[in-house]
Amino acid sequence: MKKKLKSKYDIKQMRISGKITANVLEMIKPYIVPDISTEDINKICHNFITLKKKAIPACLGYNNFPKSICISINDVVCHGIPNKNLFLKNGDIVNIDVSVIKNDYYTDASKMFFVGKVDKKNKLLCKTTRKSLYLSLACIKPENKINNIGKIIQKYIENKKFSVVKEYCGHGIGKKFHDFPHILHFYNKTNNIEIKEGMTFTVEPMVNTKSSYVKCMNDGWTVKTLDGGYSAQYEHTILVTNNGCEILTHQKKEKIPKILINI
């Protein structure tokens, strides 16, 4: 399916939305401590998005998802549902996934947080996942192929002896939450759509310590690793520019520039 390219107006609005999404992930960090419930984290984010930023949490009600953000802990790969009876504990690794709508435009980002003292291997998992995302952004430029993104991620992750989840992918985004193209995080030769200036999409590798296999729980949302291995994810919303890309959800203290010149 043909991917609709963004206009200058679209891009301006997505920058506004992207900044809000980034601000949520910056704001929540001090609250990621032992003994806080994931429902309390959800409430803090919901109030920040709606009251402070006058935006809409995109997850809330999306296909009947019951909360405003996703919180995925340890062996939860993605789509963890905040719960008043689920508390963070020392040693946890936590993904917080935030999507907002501002002026009818969606952006989407997630990152990992450490709770207290975290095991070295789990820290390495998170660092490796983030690095795979950053490395893949260097290939995003007009006329390159979408499948180079997954090729770079898969090679880096497997060289580090971790595995890439294949059931879930990045996606086009803009006035729709999930749009074309699909951004796979592993190499697939048929996923060879040409990257064009004005595309906006997410790159969001999910990486496991053990096998890549996952299972969906009975709530219909929570996805866990099949073998109990831990999982990490980092995500950004990306704009393709005439000579590279711009990270629309770039946060303070990122170890990568907001604008990448890739030509």
Side-chain angles (χ1 to χ4, degrees):
M1 184 174 287
K2 191 176 179 184
K3 176 75 177 72
K4 187 173 179 292
L5 303 176
K6 302 300 187 294
S7 68
K8 284 185 179 179
Y9 177 80
D10 296 332
I11 292 166
K12 181 181 177 183
Q13 298 305 320
M14 289 193 71
R15 284 183 177 133
I16 293 167
S17 176
K19 187 169 179 56
I20 294 169
T21 297
N23 288 162
V24 179
L25 290 169
E26 293 162 349
M27 173 278 301
I28 201 62
K29 186 179 181 188
Y31 299 95
I32 308 304
V33 294
D35 301 325
I36 189 171
S37 76
T38 55
E39 173 59 18
D40 282 345
I41 296 168
N42 178 75
K43 282 180 182 172
I44 293 163
C45 290
H46 177 88
N47 290 339
F48 184 83
I49 293 165
T50 58
L51 303 177
K52 182 107 181 193
K53 296 298 182 179
K54 311 298 181 194
I56 299 167
C59 291
L60 185 60
Y62 179 76
N63 289 341
N64 296 315
F65 189 81
K67 301 295 178 177
S68 296
I69 61 171
C70 300
I71 304 178
S72 302
I73 305 170
N74 297 338
D75 65 334
V76 178
V77 177
C78 59
H79 306 155
I81 302 173
N83 186 322
K84 66 181 182 181
N85 297 315
L86 180 60
F87 298 89
L88 299 187
K89 62 184 187 301
N90 185 57
D92 284 346
I93 58 170
V94 184
N95 178 270
I96 296 185
D97 192 344
V98 176
S99 308
V100 307
I101 313 166
K102 180 69 173 180
N103 302 330
D104 298 325
Y105 286 84
Y106 291 80
T107 51
D108 194 0
S110 83
K111 67 175 291 186
M112 301 301 296
F113 296 87
F114 299 152
V115 184
K117 189 173 182 182
V118 170
D119 174 88
K120 273 187 185 177
K121 183 166 185 184
N122 293 329
K123 279 188 175 179
L124 180 62
L125 169 69
C126 296
K127 184 179 177 182
T128 302
T129 306
R130 183 177 63 186
K131 183 72 181 287
S132 76
L133 167 59
Y134 286 173
L135 287 171
S136 75
L137 301 185
C139 82
I140 299 176
K141 60 183 178 181
E143 299 181 10
N144 209 340
K145 303 290 188 189
I146 287 282
N147 57 9
N148 282 311
I149 296 170
K151 187 177 185 179
I152 289 167
I153 290 169
Q154 183 177 23
K155 183 179 179 183
Y156 184 73
I157 292 302
E158 291 179 355
N159 280 343
K160 296 291 185 180
K161 308 302 182 193
F162 296 120
S163 61
V164 179
V165 174
K166 297 181 173 67
E167 284 84 351
Y168 298 90
C169 62
H171 49 89
I173 191 168
K175 280 204 148 185
K176 288 184 179 176
F177 195 172
H178 296 96
D179 205 350
F180 290 91
H182 297 308
I183 309 297
L184 304 182
H185 304 116
F186 59 97
Y187 182 66
N188 182 315
K189 66 180 180 181
T190 63
N191 187 39
N192 61 351
I193 298 164
E194 186 177 297
I195 298 171
K196 295 183 183 295
E197 181 182 357
M199 282 184 169
T200 50
F201 50 76
T202 70
V203 184
E204 47 183 298
M206 302 173 198
V207 177
N208 298 347
T209 53
K210 295 183 181 178
S211 78
S212 64
Y213 300 114
V214 300
K215 59 187 175 185
C216 189
M217 308 310 287
N218 290 336
D219 60 25
W221 282 105
T222 306
V223 176
K224 291 190 173 187
T225 59
L226 192 60
D227 52 20
Y230 278 27
S231 189
Q233 181 191 23
Y234 283 82
E235 174 183 16
H236 273 308
T237 298
I238 305 300
L239 163 70
V240 182
T241 62
N242 66 342
N243 59 6
C245 66
E246 177 180 339
I247 304 171
L248 296 175
T249 48
H250 191 272
Q251 295 138 48
K252 292 170 188 168
K253 298 183 181 177
E254 291 256 11
K255 297 183 184 300
I256 191 171
K258 180 179 174 69
I259 295 172
L260 299 174
I261 309 299
N262 294 333
I263 291 177

